[in-house]
Amino acid sequence: MAVQTVANNTDSADSANAVDLGPAAALSCRECGERFGLGPIFACSSCFGPLEVAYELPSGDPDALRKRIEAGPDNIWRYAPLLPVPADVAGKPNLNPGFTKLVKADNLARALGVTGGLYVKDDSGNPTHSFKDRVVAIAVEAARAFGFTTLSCSSTGNLAGAVGAAAARSGFRSCVFIPNDLEAGKVVMAAVYGGDLVGIEGNYDDVNRFCSELIGDPLGEGWGFVNVNLRPYYGEGSKTLAYEICEQLGWQLPDQLVIPIASGSQLTKIDKGLKELIALGLVEDKPYKIFGAQAEGCSPVSAAFKAGHDVVRPVKPDTIAKSLAIGNPADGPYVLDIARRTGGAVEDVDDTRIVEAIKLLAQTEGIFAETAGGVTVGVTRKLIENGLLDPALTTVVLNTGDGLKTLDAVAPTTGPTATIRPSLDAFRAAGLA
């Protein structure tokens, strides 16, 4: 673990009040339950299990809390009472992501044979056009609280852009690390914000290992790696997807959700958010199923689920869905637990079906998804075909990014219907009239 020059970083839970992160009370180990003070640490010193934020959440009248949320800004800060952020967070320089559209996808529902109501949570509407803006916004507040000066990350693309943009807006230096073979659109978007962008020869897991080494070196002092030493806070941003979906459904739980898996953190935090809403009385408690979606070329969690294993064996990624290409997903075992506990499943689709699903979503709902969105739509179709997802129930499918970032996936099979001379006769001859 890094030697950090950051105030108030101790292993004592009593230090939790030394920084202002709103209702966040401590860090708690997912494995053994040991508690630690709020600080830039991510692993339990006793069992090396992952740490997550523990809260003192609001108590009292759920109706009053609903009204307080609904009166808040049209971004994730409406949920500040449930997040590890100070109460005045909305007044600080940040990208203010969230409250993206929940699209009632009737055309897609007809194409897939869904009768119970199908929705697409379209997070391509965030400031850098992916859900990563949510998690980075929370990490920025933790970085401020702990006195960091540089924001960093290991990234498959979207996170690099989100960190670069958030750092520029919030006054941090940024230095982010990516595999050197990412889609050109994501590389440009990560670089345009003016921070340092470093390509690493290798895949995401190689990049992540390098970042872990940097955190442990004096070179990394003062650096907040949003998905490593700030990971417990960063991950909480994904809960806001659960909050928004339920609020946009009229404060109701969906029956089924299909969520893409990269590290698996998004899926686990959405489940955490749903459970919090139930515990707070903001939604009526009822069963829900969570389904995980992977690309066949990087599907270690899907393989473990189908084999009935509890251990996720790492793989070498080989898929067009590069934003999901994490061969050793940190939260994989927890994804398995949630899928099994809720009665869901984890499934995968090949690259051909990913491209087909991207086009299907675009042609039915006018939503151009990146490859991760193609994975969730493709997996949804496969789950229906295999009888695992009930088409008569309310289902929410996540699109986590914009298709303009992954043009290479569809460019070979997408283009002009015809190229003609500028005349009506040519138009008629092309058979388009």
Side-chain angles (χ1 to χ4, degrees):
M1 201 171 298
V3 177
Q4 301 282 0
T5 55
V6 178
N8 302 319
N9 176 17
T10 76
D11 285 341
S12 170
D14 293 336
S15 72
N17 295 324
V19 294
D20 179 12
L21 289 175
L27 296 179
S28 176
C29 177
R30 282 198 212 175
E31 294 296 326
C32 72
E34 185 169 349
R35 288 165 73 93
F36 301 84
L38 297 175
I41 55 174
F42 58 96
C44 176
S45 59
S46 296
C47 73
F48 303 105
L51 301 180
E52 64 177 2
V53 179
Y55 293 92
E56 293 177 359
L57 291 175
S59 59
D61 183 7
D63 289 335
L65 181 55
R66 278 194 211 96
K67 290 177 182 177
R68 179 181 174 186
I69 290 170
E70 291 168 353
D74 290 335
N75 54 54
I76 62 171
W77 306 134
R78 68 199 284 116
Y79 307 109
L82 313 180
L83 296 170
V85 295
D88 63 350
V89 62
K92 296 183 177 184
N94 205 303
L95 292 180
N96 301 329
F99 222 64
T100 54
K101 293 180 180 179
L102 182 68
V103 178
K104 191 158 191 309
D106 292 339
N107 296 329
L108 179 62
R110 283 191 288 273
L112 297 180
V114 174
T115 59
L118 180 65
Y119 297 83
V120 176
K121 181 58 172 170
D122 185 14
D123 244 26
S124 66
N126 277 311
T128 69
H129 307 287
S130 91
F131 93 96
K132 292 295 188 181
D133 290 321
R134 297 174 181 271
V135 291
V136 171
I138 307 295
V140 164
E141 296 310 312
R144 283 190 177 120
F146 303 136
F148 286 121
T149 57
T150 297
L151 287 183
S152 187
C153 69
S154 52
S155 174
T156 57
N158 283 328
L159 181 58
V163 168
R169 169 69 177 145
S170 304
F172 287 88
R173 178 205 173 204
S174 68
C175 183
V176 300
F177 301 88
I178 60 173
N180 67 334
D181 64 346
L182 287 186
E183 301 96 335
K186 290 182 179 177
V187 173
V188 171
M189 189 168 190
V192 74
Y193 300 108
D196 292 318
L197 176 67
V198 181
I200 300 291
E201 297 176 358
N203 60 31
Y204 173 81
D205 298 296
D206 297 316
V207 178
N208 204 37
R209 280 192 294 272
F210 168 80
C211 289
S212 296
E213 291 178 13
L214 181 55
I215 290 173
D217 189 273
L219 287 171
E221 288 191 11
W223 287 42
F225 285 78
V226 300
N227 55 343
V228 188
N229 58 351
L230 295 176
R231 187 176 182 84
Y233 313 95
Y234 157 95
E236 297 296 286
S238 290
K239 295 193 309 181
T240 60
L241 281 161
Y243 300 157
E244 288 178 20
I245 288 168
C246 291
E247 183 179 354
Q248 290 167 325
L249 288 175
W251 293 107
Q252 295 183 47
L253 292 167
D255 297 313
Q256 303 171 133
L257 299 99
V258 185
I259 303 169
I261 299 170
S263 71
S265 175
Q266 183 187 67
L267 186 150
T268 64
K269 291 304 186 290
I270 288 176
D271 179 63
K272 183 180 181 182
L274 296 176
K275 290 191 294 184
E276 286 176 353
L277 293 179
I278 292 169
L280 290 165
L282 294 176
V283 298
E284 182 180 351
D285 189 5
K286 71 170 188 177
Y288 59 86
K289 294 182 179 181
I290 290 184
F291 297 87
Q294 291 201 291
E296 184 179 288
C298 185
S299 54
V301 186
S302 175
F305 180 86
K306 292 174 183 178
H309 295 161
D310 296 326
V311 175
V312 176
R313 294 187 176 182
V315 300
K316 185 175 182 180
D318 183 16
T319 174
I320 61 171
K322 293 184 180 180
S323 62
L324 304 183
I326 297 180
N328 188 19
D331 281 24
Y334 302 105
V335 169
L336 294 174
D337 291 342
I338 290 168
R340 289 165 179 159
R341 189 195 80 231
T342 64
V346 185
E347 187 54 271
D348 57 81
V349 285
D350 63 25
D351 286 356
T352 298
R353 294 192 72 164
I354 293 170
V355 173
E356 290 172 352
I358 292 171
K359 292 183 176 181
L360 177 64
L361 180 59
Q363 293 164 12
T364 56
E365 300 298 340
I367 297 172
F368 185 18
E370 71 164 28
T371 48
V375 169
T376 53
V377 173
V379 163
T380 300
R381 168 175 261 174
K382 189 172 180 180
L383 290 167
I384 293 170
E385 292 170 352
N386 294 343
L388 296 175
L389 188 144
D390 189 342
L393 298 178
T394 300
T395 304
V396 176
V397 176
L398 269 65
N399 172 44
T400 53
D402 195 318
L404 291 174
K405 295 186 176 189
T406 56
L407 290 173
D408 290 352
V410 294
T413 57
T414 307
T417 304
T419 301
I420 63 171
R421 298 186 309 278
S423 72
L424 292 175
D425 287 342
F427 183 64
R428 291 189 185 96
L432 301 174

